[in-house]
């Protein structure tokens, strides 16, 4: 009789454990789904357009910005005599200092 009661107790404990496990799994699933929906809604709400910025578009924009930045540092100097073995950086620095510009 004692063994039978122990078996019944074990069966009930297993059933309780299974119910608890199922409850936890469902709660986690619901929480994750809610979080994903909330994140998705926040992204849609804060998005300025319906288009998604893919890597190709981003790459082209970055190239364009880099090209503009490079061109903004270009300098053309007219009227300097070219000589053999001239030190161009020193010459350009001298010209910039002459006109009151700080060389970078």
């Amino acid at each position: 009789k004692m063994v039978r009661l122990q078996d019944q107790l074990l069966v009930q404990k297993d059933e309780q454990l299974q119910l608890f496990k199922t409850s936890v799994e469902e709660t986690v699933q619901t929480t994750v789904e809610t979080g994903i929906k909330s994140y998705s809604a926040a992204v849609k709400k804060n998005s300025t357009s319906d288009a998604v910025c893919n890597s190709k578009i981003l790459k082209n924009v970055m190239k364009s910005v880099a090209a503009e930045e490079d061109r903004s540092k270009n300098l053309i100097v007219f009227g300097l005599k070219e000589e053999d073995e001239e030190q161009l950086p020193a010459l350009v620095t001298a010209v910039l200092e002459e006109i009151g510009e700080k060389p970078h």
Side-chain angles (χ1 to χ4, degrees), residues 7-19:
D7 284 342
Q8 287 176 352
L9 182 62
L10 287 174
V11 168
Q12 286 181 348
K13 291 288 183 183
D14 284 343
E15 288 173 357
Q16 287 177 348
L17 184 61
Q18 187 61 37
L19 284 172

Side-chain angles (χ1 to χ4, degrees), residues 24-100:
V24 168
E25 288 173 348
E26 289 173 356
T27 301
V28 168
Q29 180 71 24
T30 302
T31 303
V32 169
E33 287 174 357
T34 302
I36 289 172
K37 287 178 184 176
S38 297
Y39 177 76
S40 177
V43 169
K44 283 181 183 177
K45 181 179 178 183
N46 293 319
S47 178
T48 56
S49 68
D50 293 335
V52 176
C53 182
N54 65 30
S55 62
K56 190 174 183 179
I57 293 171
L58 185 58
K59 193 179 210 180
N60 287 338
V61 168
M62 292 305 294
K63 280 182 181 179
S64 174
V65 169
E68 285 180 30
E69 182 65 25
D70 286 345
R71 283 194 297 269
S72 72
K73 295 179 183 179
N74 288 351
L75 174 69
I76 300 174
V77 179
F78 294 97
L80 292 179
K81 293 182 182 179
E82 291 187 43
E83 298 176 10
D84 292 336
E85 298 182 29
E86 67 184 344
Q87 300 296 320
L88 187 59
L91 187 58
V92 171
T93 299
V95 169
L96 291 175
E97 287 174 353
E98 180 82 20
I99 63 172

